[in-house]
Amino acid sequence: MRVVLLGTAAGGGFPQWNCACALCAAAREGRLPSRTQECAAVTGNGRDWWLLNASPDLRTQLTATPALWPGPGPRDTPLRGVLLTDAEADHVTGLGELRGAAGLKVYAAPPVRAALAPVRAALDRYAPWEWADTLADGGFVLAGGLVVTAHPVGAKIPKYIAAQAPRPVGPWVTAYRVEDLASGGVLVYAPCVGAWSAELDELCAEADCVLLDGTFYAADEMGTAVRSGAGQAAMGHLPVTGPDGTLAALARHPGARRIYTHLNNTNPLLDPSSPARARAAGNGAEVLDDGAELLL
């Protein structure tokens, strides 16, 4: 199984266009690498590729990744579809970039598919796609020899849906377990985690690699970094540090490669020379740049 980290930043990217915090300033000055919004691609055979989320930066990400370039025919593409973890804008906006590509298949949990009904109708006017339930019993098999199961990891409802009534009921945020039938490699992909659970522990215990939510380093990070007064900055995202943070949870699984993604622009993990990055590394966790590739 081959995995490409197309983007590793949280919503807004890094630097964020309207933020003048110290980290964003360092990125604009070229002292820290810029990052596009979180998205990954996975394949089991090198020919059939599946996107994990659809970033607003998707066009740039596809152009920067030769394995995802079109061909050999004028309109041929190695993309077969998309697996959505949730309905957040920074994970679904990129679907619009794929409009007109016939035969794609999009997997999502029932409330996410329901919330995206207007988007689905609009995209189907360009080319019909198949929309499938990720939570179907037994999981599903992707072209290329990958077996996938989805697992609820959060209940956060996007802001653009929160005011709607009635709202779809069910798990809004899922993680994916992706297994390569040929190699036996197992990837756990969980860029948004609202609560750690025994089920997530079990998934990490049998994984070769975990791509995990690293949105906030600390629970009070937003208010500290940009003086916004945000009291619930980490709502919907477990922080990396703290007694219930993900760094401590990941330490229970030293057999897996542990990589943080979906990094907010205020997160000190963005700085390779920071004490935060050193602490993460000391606990066996990594932060990789956009474009990094993994083999499982």
Side-chain angles (χ1 to χ4, degrees), residues 42-50 78 80-81 105 107 140-148:
V42 61
T43 182
N45 61 7
R47 299 184 303 275
D48 301 294
W49 285 86
W50 297 85
R80 302 293 175 253
K105 190 166 186 176
Y107 290 89
F140 49 96
V141 179
L142 301 177
L146 301 177
V147 178
V148 182

Side-chain angles (χ1 to χ4, degrees), residues 166-203:
R167 294 179 297 191
V169 177
W172 279 89
V173 185
T174 56
Y176 288 110
R177 179 190 185 274
V178 185
E179 181 176 358
D180 185 341
L181 289 175
S183 70
V186 175
L187 169 72
V188 171
Y189 176 72
C192 294
V193 176
W196 199 270
S197 66
E199 183 178 13
L200 192 52
D201 254 329
E202 292 174 4
L203 291 173

Side-chain angles (χ1 to χ4, degrees), residues 7-267:
T8 53
F14 178 68
Q16 188 168 298
W17 73 272
N18 63 342
C19 184
C21 72
L23 288 169
C24 285
R28 290 191 181 93
E29 294 165 4
R31 292 185 284 115
L32 293 178
S34 296
R35 296 172 183 268
T36 58
Q37 294 168 91
E38 189 274 325
C39 183
V42 61
T43 182
N45 61 7
R47 299 184 303 275
D48 301 294
W49 285 86
W50 297 85
L51 295 176
L52 301 170
N53 288 328
S55 156
D57 300 316
L58 186 56
R59 178 189 174 280
T60 298
Q61 294 166 342
L62 296 178
T63 301
T65 310
L68 302 179
W69 289 355
R75 288 289 185 175
D76 291 343
T77 174
L79 292 181
R80 302 293 175 253
V82 185
L83 283 63
L84 299 175
T85 59
D86 50 68
E88 294 292 340
D90 56 313
H91 284 159
V92 304
T93 306
L95 293 173
E97 295 291 341
L98 303 177
R99 64 189 182 278
L104 296 185
K105 190 166 186 176
V106 182
Y107 290 89
V112 174
R113 289 188 294 127
L116 296 179
V119 175
R120 294 167 56 187
L123 291 171
D124 281 347
R125 290 182 178 274
Y126 292 91
W129 292 354
E130 183 178 354
W131 295 77
D133 181 4
T134 58
L135 296 174
D137 290 343
F140 49 96
V141 179
L142 301 177
L146 301 177
V147 178
V148 182
T149 54
H151 305 267
V153 290
K156 183 185 177 187
I157 301 175
K159 288 183 178 180
Y160 69 89
I161 295 170
Q164 297 179 7
R167 294 179 297 191
V169 177
W172 279 89
V173 185
T174 56
Y176 288 110
R177 179 190 185 274
V178 185
E179 181 176 358
D180 185 341
L181 289 175
S183 70
V186 175
L187 169 72
V188 171
Y189 176 72
C192 294
V193 176
W196 199 270
S197 66
E199 183 178 13
L200 192 52
D201 254 329
E202 292 174 4
L203 291 173
C204 293
E206 62 181 22
D208 295 290
C209 181
V210 180
L211 286 176
L212 190 69
D213 186 346
T215 307
F216 298 111
Y217 186 72
D220 62 349
E221 183 177 304
M222 285 282 284
T224 301
V226 298
R227 297 184 178 86
S228 68
Q232 299 293 330
M235 184 178 293
H237 298 280
L238 280 178
V240 170
T241 56
D244 299 318
T246 58
L247 194 61
L250 286 177
R252 297 194 291 268
H253 306 287
R257 188 173 183 183
R258 293 151 287 171
I259 302 168
Y260 280 116
T261 189
H262 201 269
L263 304 167
N264 197 59
N265 63 293
T266 56
N267 192 328

